[in-house]
Amino acid sequence: MDAKTASSKIAKTVQAGIAACLLPVFFLYILLGKPDYKIMNAMSGVVVPAARIVGDGITWPVRAIGHLQENIKERKGIRQENRELRAKLDAFVAAQNGCIALQAENQRLEQTLDIVRMYPKKSVIARVIFENSAFAASSFILDKGESSGIQPGMAVISKDGFLAGTVISVTAESAKIRKITDTESNIPVRVAGSDVLGFLRGRGNAAPVFELFSDQEFSPTPGVMLLASGIGGSLPDGIPIGKIKRSGAGGSASVKLGTKTTSEAIVLIYK
């Protein structure tokens, strides 16, 4: 559209507006100055609609402000409703999280109840006099041995009750213990609260792994407790070992051991 055409349309619009404004004036002139009812009736069909159009144009800002106020009130109501719904949603999420926490606590209690330690009637508390964690080897030596009833193959636990290793050799007054982190260590274990069996394989300074599951459908879940299974009679059943840390590749899971390096250990005399 060129400038000439635009100017023409604007001029026509202005003229129409002026004519619409003058029509009511002309109508009043006829009514007051020359009361000819025929002319008045003829012009009423034009003047009234024109006056209505002019009135609508004049009152448009007022009506627009009214609509705006209504929209603002409606938006305020929607925002208030959104806040109320958000509060209800937050309360629902909090309640759901509480249920999840209770469910996790219930699972933990079930696992704790499942940890039935079949400890022997006799045990020997010994002091750690040497520890070796070089390369792949992980072992320590206790200051008590065969004279105290300690024999190879016996289980050794930490003072907090977690499996630390097994006796591999003894002298009259000492015993060498292979840690469960040693690369030569491969202990039969089970998942607390289930019948899933497997083996805990040591990896030296790296975290040991739980692998070779008896149930191929088993999916390792972080936080699940592992216990000594007692299969083969090498260890008492039910000794806590640690918790699954995270799933690994090839159907295995790394394990966070419960035992910590201490100055003392307990040898379970069960043979």
Side-chain angles (χ1 to χ4, degrees):
M1 180 184 295
D2 54 13
K4 186 176 181 180
T5 304
S7 300
S8 176
K9 288 191 174 183
I10 293 173
K12 290 180 179 179
T13 303
V14 172
Q15 291 174 1
I18 294 173
C21 292
L22 291 177
L23 282 174
V25 176
F26 181 71
F27 183 75
L28 290 174
Y29 169 75
I30 296 297
L31 178 64
L32 298 176
K34 297 180 179 181
D36 189 338
Y37 295 104
K38 291 182 179 181
I39 298 176
M40 292 171 57
N41 291 334
M43 293 185 62
S44 64
V46 177
V47 174
V48 173
R52 183 177 299 164
I53 294 173
V54 173
D56 290 342
I58 295 173
T59 60
W60 176 82
V62 178
R63 288 183 286 107
I65 293 173
H67 289 311
L68 181 61
Q69 290 177 342
E70 291 179 0
N71 290 336
I72 292 174
K73 290 181 180 179
E74 185 176 357
R75 289 185 178 181
K76 286 183 178 179
I78 292 174
R79 289 177 180 175
Q80 179 64 28
E81 185 177 358
N82 285 341
R83 283 194 291 268
E84 293 176 356
L85 291 175
R86 173 60 61 182
K88 291 180 180 179
L89 179 61
D90 291 341
F92 174 76
V93 171
Q96 185 180 28
N97 291 338
C99 291
I100 293 174
L102 290 174
Q103 184 178 5
E105 179 66 13
N106 183 56
Q107 182 180 7
R108 187 190 68 81
L109 291 174
E110 288 180 356
Q111 292 175 355
T112 302
L113 291 174
D114 187 70
I115 301 174
V116 180
R117 303 176 183 178
M118 299 177 65
Y119 287 170
K121 295 180 180 180
K122 183 180 179 182
S123 60
V124 176
I125 300 177
R127 187 166 57 91
V128 177
I129 57 177
F130 178 77
E131 186 170 0
N132 177 26
S133 298
F135 302 105
S138 297
S139 62
F140 58 89
I141 297 177
L142 301 177
D143 65 350
K144 293 182 181 180
E146 192 173 9
S147 61
S148 299
I150 300 175
Q151 297 178 17
M154 290 184 173
V156 180
I157 64 173
S158 60
K159 294 186 70 175
D160 52 4
F162 288 90
L163 183 65
T166 56
V167 180
I168 56 175
S169 64
V170 295
T171 65
E173 299 299 333
S174 67
K176 185 177 182 180
I177 314 302
R178 176 186 289 140
K179 291 183 179 180
I180 57 178
T181 56
D182 189 273
T183 54
E184 297 294 325
S185 176
N186 200 22
I187 299 172
V189 297
R190 65 182 175 88
V191 176
S194 74
D195 296 325
V196 178
L197 304 175
F199 288 88
L200 184 75
R201 176 171 58 87
R203 298 194 300 167
N205 293 328
V209 294
F210 175 46
E211 57 188 5
L212 301 177
F213 311 139
S214 61
D215 185 357
Q216 299 299 321
E217 301 296 327
F218 173 71
S219 178
T221 303
V224 172
M225 179 70 74
L226 297 180
L227 314 173
S229 68
I231 292 178
S234 57
L235 294 172
D237 179 74
I239 301 176
I241 291 177
K243 295 182 178 180
I244 294 177
K245 187 176 182 181
R246 60 176 175 269
S247 299
S252 64
S254 61
V255 177
K256 182 179 180 181
L257 300 177
T259 183
K260 298 177 177 61
T261 303
T262 59
S263 59
E264 293 182 323
I266 302 172
V267 182
L268 305 181
I269 310 297
Y270 61 91
K271 290 187 177 181

